[in-house]
Amino acid sequence: MRFSWKIFILSFLIIIISFGAGGFVLVNSVFTSSLNAKIESVCQSNAYATASFYSMNINAQASGYNASYIDYTIKNSTKQLTSSSDDTKVEIGDKSIVTALGGIEFADEVKENERNYRIISDNERKYLQVVSLVNILGKDYYIQSIADITGVYENRNNYFRTYQIILMCVAFGASFLLLVFSRLITRPLVKLTQTANEIADGNFEKRAESSSTKETYELSNSFNTMTDFVEKYIGELNEEVRRRDDFVSAFTHELKTPLTSVIGYADMMRSYELDADKRRKCADNIYKEGKRLESLSANLLDLLVLKHTDVEFSEINTKIIESDTKSSVLFLLKKYDITLEIEFEQATIIAEPALLKTLIYNLIDNSCKASEQGGKVIVKGACQGERYAVCVGDYGRGIPKEELAKITEPFYMVDKSRARSMGGAGIGLALCNEIARLHGSSLKIDSEVGVGTVISFDVPIADLKEDESVGEY
């Protein structure tokens, strides 16, 4: 059942039940008040008749009148009292006048100088019977007043019928207003449902409209926030799928190229009679492509392992990093004819020494490959607040801005032909970025085509980590 119908039915029932119960109580209260007023009136009339009859006969008894005089006063009093009221009949006599209307028990309950009353029905009419008892000359006399109170009950029924008509009008009016009201209340929810359905159909740009009420406004904002998150998450998933497909495609291609060369040269050596120089060249090419496959596999394995490895850090002096870096890159500098300018500010940092050296080495290697012969690579290290920043820069070809966001993806190469000719496979920067992540950082790349590239990252400084127990490197 729709929420609007639930609101409508619940509100309608509350209004009708409350209005109906209130009307019943009101009409019944008016009826009770009228009936009590009538009872009080007839009781007072009966009291007056009893007092008049009693005083008249007491005086007559004192004057010496006999019982025959009492019979006379009964007839005379009855006639006078009955004529004084149009709707009340007065009777004076023995017990039989009370029992004539039935109810012997009622007559027996009447005691001397007491007054009892009851409501009786006769032929669809209602009567009020009020009876009192007096004793004169040793004989009991019943004074009975009978009033027709059918009108009181008819008025109550008329009130109920009138109220039923009013209640029906209220029901129709309330149903119309409640229907409109429930639709107005649930309209934002209906729109929100429609928006959710559109988003479920793939329209992730759709957003819920804001409402004037605070609750629905907050609900719409929460829904839009959730939608933004879902859209962002789906975008990330799509990007991850794209990267995975690119990774598989690139990995397959990177494997295929050296394997094709290995198979080709091996088949040539197997199928043809070659002289010693050609056989040596074929073997040399097979060796190079095999080493390339070995390097590719090692780098790829390192990348995968680092993503699921907890690294143990230790304290290390930056001057040691500087010295080890100079020694490890001598071969690169000679190979590419590059000059290295390196300077590390004295500090003690927290890092994994082997990974940190691999990171710096790979960055220098990339800078050498991007530089022309005779170029220069600059490596700087300095304290920056709580972190120690390391920058590696060159004056090489630079990287286009549109390529910067993808440069750290595995197997991504800006210049594929040049990279492969230098033995690259596009994993170096991805590996460097993963190592930087393990140190709580990431690669920051600033590059301009034809000017050069600067890649930086940072690591924690040990002096600010006194609460950590780390070993001296």
mmCIF file of all heavy atoms in Angstrom, residues 9 28 137 140 142 184 217 225 239 248 269 341 381 404 415 431:
data_model
loop_
_atom_site.group_PDB
_atom_site.id
_atom_site.type_symbol
_atom_site.label_atom_id
_atom_site.label_comp_id
_atom_site.label_asym_id
_atom_site.label_seq_id
_atom_site.Cartn_x
_atom_site.Cartn_y
_atom_site.Cartn_z
ATOM 1 N N ILE A 9 -5.758 6.941 5.164
ATOM 2 C CA ILE A 9 -6.636 6.046 5.924
ATOM 3 C C ILE A 9 -6.474 6.261 7.423
ATOM 4 O O ILE A 9 -7.465 6.351 8.170
ATOM 5 C CB ILE A 9 -6.340 4.583 5.542
ATOM 6 C CG1 ILE A 9 -6.752 4.326 4.089
ATOM 7 C CG2 ILE A 9 -7.078 3.624 6.467
ATOM 8 C CD1 ILE A 9 -6.368 2.953 3.587
ATOM 9 N N ASN A 28 -25.314 12.292 24.155
ATOM 10 C CA ASN A 28 -25.688 11.521 25.348
ATOM 11 C C ASN A 28 -25.684 12.399 26.595
ATOM 12 O O ASN A 28 -26.510 12.223 27.503
ATOM 13 C CB ASN A 28 -24.731 10.344 25.516
ATOM 14 C CG ASN A 28 -25.333 9.245 26.350
ATOM 15 O OD1 ASN A 28 -26.411 8.725 26.029
ATOM 16 N ND2 ASN A 28 -24.673 8.886 27.436
ATOM 17 N N LEU A 137 -54.072 7.332 59.604
ATOM 18 C CA LEU A 137 -55.017 6.535 60.375
ATOM 19 C C LEU A 137 -54.697 5.044 60.265
ATOM 20 O O LEU A 137 -55.584 4.195 60.124
ATOM 21 C CB LEU A 137 -56.463 6.813 59.939
ATOM 22 C CG LEU A 137 -56.959 8.265 60.118
ATOM 23 C CD1 LEU A 137 -58.378 8.397 59.576
ATOM 24 C CD2 LEU A 137 -56.892 8.666 61.576
ATOM 25 N N ASP A 140 -51.829 2.630 54.676
ATOM 26 C CA ASP A 140 -50.824 3.113 53.722
ATOM 27 C C ASP A 140 -51.492 3.680 52.486
ATOM 28 O O ASP A 140 -52.416 3.060 51.916
ATOM 29 C CB ASP A 140 -49.897 1.965 53.306
ATOM 30 C CG ASP A 140 -48.989 1.534 54.439
ATOM 31 O OD1 ASP A 140 -48.741 2.362 55.333
ATOM 32 O OD2 ASP A 140 -48.519 0.367 54.407
ATOM 33 N N TYR A 142 -50.436 5.360 48.695
ATOM 34 C CA TYR A 142 -49.389 5.567 47.684
ATOM 35 C C TYR A 142 -49.743 6.767 46.818
ATOM 36 O O TYR A 142 -50.863 6.845 46.297
ATOM 37 C CB TYR A 142 -49.237 4.324 46.810
ATOM 38 C CG TYR A 142 -48.611 3.142 47.530
ATOM 39 C CD1 TYR A 142 -49.402 2.264 48.272
ATOM 40 C CD2 TYR A 142 -47.245 2.917 47.470
ATOM 41 C CE1 TYR A 142 -48.843 1.179 48.943
ATOM 42 C CE2 TYR A 142 -46.688 1.828 48.136
ATOM 43 C CZ TYR A 142 -47.488 0.965 48.864
ATOM 44 O OH TYR A 142 -46.940 -0.099 49.527
ATOM 45 N N LEU A 184 0.164 15.932 -1.149
ATOM 46 C CA LEU A 184 1.151 17.008 -1.040
ATOM 47 C C LEU A 184 2.337 16.574 -0.178
ATOM 48 O O LEU A 184 3.493 16.887 -0.481
ATOM 49 C CB LEU A 184 0.497 18.254 -0.435
ATOM 50 C CG LEU A 184 -0.490 19.008 -1.334
ATOM 51 C CD1 LEU A 184 -1.129 20.153 -0.574
ATOM 52 C CD2 LEU A 184 0.200 19.520 -2.594
ATOM 53 N N TYR A 217 13.866 18.164 2.741
ATOM 54 C CA TYR A 217 15.072 18.839 2.236
ATOM 55 C C TYR A 217 16.321 18.073 2.670
ATOM 56 O O TYR A 217 17.228 17.823 1.854
ATOM 57 C CB TYR A 217 15.103 20.271 2.770
ATOM 58 C CG TYR A 217 16.364 21.037 2.407
ATOM 59 C CD1 TYR A 217 16.523 21.600 1.137
ATOM 60 C CD2 TYR A 217 17.387 21.180 3.336
ATOM 61 C CE1 TYR A 217 17.689 22.284 0.805
ATOM 62 C CE2 TYR A 217 18.549 21.870 3.014
ATOM 63 C CZ TYR A 217 18.688 22.425 1.747
ATOM 64 O OH TYR A 217 19.837 23.097 1.434
ATOM 65 N N THR A 225 23.780 13.208 -1.794
ATOM 66 C CA THR A 225 25.125 12.865 -1.325
ATOM 67 C C THR A 225 25.431 11.398 -1.597
ATOM 68 O O THR A 225 26.534 11.043 -2.047
ATOM 69 C CB THR A 225 25.240 13.157 0.178
ATOM 70 O OG1 THR A 225 24.975 14.545 0.417
ATOM 71 C CG2 THR A 225 26.636 12.827 0.685
ATOM 72 N N GLU A 239 36.952 2.990 -13.944
ATOM 73 C CA GLU A 239 38.350 3.328 -14.186
ATOM 74 C C GLU A 239 39.254 2.154 -13.834
ATOM 75 O O GLU A 239 40.235 1.874 -14.539
ATOM 76 C CB GLU A 239 38.726 4.556 -13.355
ATOM 77 C CG GLU A 239 40.160 5.030 -13.529
ATOM 78 C CD GLU A 239 40.460 5.520 -14.935
ATOM 79 O OE1 GLU A 239 39.494 5.825 -15.682
ATOM 80 O OE2 GLU A 239 41.651 5.611 -15.288
ATOM 81 N N VAL A 248 46.232 -5.807 -18.599
ATOM 82 C CA VAL A 248 46.296 -7.121 -19.246
ATOM 83 C C VAL A 248 46.771 -6.989 -20.686
ATOM 84 O O VAL A 248 47.615 -7.757 -21.166
ATOM 85 C CB VAL A 248 44.917 -7.809 -19.188
ATOM 86 C CG1 VAL A 248 44.926 -9.093 -20.022
ATOM 87 C CG2 VAL A 248 44.542 -8.114 -17.742
ATOM 88 N N MET A 269 68.252 -19.982 -35.735
ATOM 89 C CA MET A 269 69.423 -20.774 -35.398
ATOM 90 C C MET A 269 69.150 -22.270 -35.616
ATOM 91 O O MET A 269 70.038 -23.038 -35.957
ATOM 92 C CB MET A 269 69.820 -20.537 -33.936
ATOM 93 C CG MET A 269 70.315 -19.120 -33.649
ATOM 94 S SD MET A 269 70.615 -18.839 -31.889
ATOM 95 C CE MET A 269 71.983 -19.975 -31.636
ATOM 96 N N GLU A 341 73.974 15.650 -10.044
ATOM 97 C CA GLU A 341 74.172 16.621 -8.957
ATOM 98 C C GLU A 341 73.251 16.199 -7.811
ATOM 99 O O GLU A 341 72.029 16.251 -7.930
ATOM 100 C CB GLU A 341 73.819 18.031 -9.434
ATOM 101 C CG GLU A 341 74.023 19.093 -8.358
ATOM 102 C CD GLU A 341 73.636 20.486 -8.848
ATOM 103 O OE1 GLU A 341 73.946 20.817 -10.016
ATOM 104 O OE2 GLU A 341 73.015 21.236 -8.059
ATOM 105 N N GLY A 381 67.459 16.618 -1.280
ATOM 106 C CA GLY A 381 66.710 16.166 -0.102
ATOM 107 C C GLY A 381 66.740 17.235 0.960
ATOM 108 O O GLY A 381 67.811 17.774 1.272
ATOM 109 N N LEU A 404 50.118 13.086 -17.584
ATOM 110 C CA LEU A 404 50.602 13.047 -16.210
ATOM 111 C C LEU A 404 49.742 12.152 -15.316
ATOM 112 O O LEU A 404 50.251 11.468 -14.423
ATOM 113 C CB LEU A 404 50.634 14.470 -15.623
ATOM 114 C CG LEU A 404 51.722 15.391 -16.188
ATOM 115 C CD1 LEU A 404 51.595 16.779 -15.581
ATOM 116 C CD2 LEU A 404 53.101 14.806 -15.903
ATOM 117 N N ASP A 415 56.372 7.534 -24.586
ATOM 118 C CA ASP A 415 56.994 7.224 -25.891
ATOM 119 C C ASP A 415 57.359 5.745 -25.883
ATOM 120 O O ASP A 415 58.428 5.347 -25.415
ATOM 121 C CB ASP A 415 58.233 8.101 -26.095
ATOM 122 C CG ASP A 415 58.796 7.963 -27.510
ATOM 123 O OD1 ASP A 415 58.382 7.020 -28.216
ATOM 124 O OD2 ASP A 415 59.629 8.792 -27.888
ATOM 125 N N LEU A 431 55.961 1.174 -9.768
ATOM 126 C CA LEU A 431 56.665 0.604 -8.624
ATOM 127 C C LEU A 431 57.098 1.710 -7.662
ATOM 128 O O LEU A 431 56.963 1.573 -6.437
ATOM 129 C CB LEU A 431 57.874 -0.193 -9.110
ATOM 130 C CG LEU A 431 58.629 -1.024 -8.073
ATOM 131 C CD1 LEU A 431 57.723 -2.084 -7.487
ATOM 132 C CD2 LEU A 431 59.860 -1.662 -8.709
#
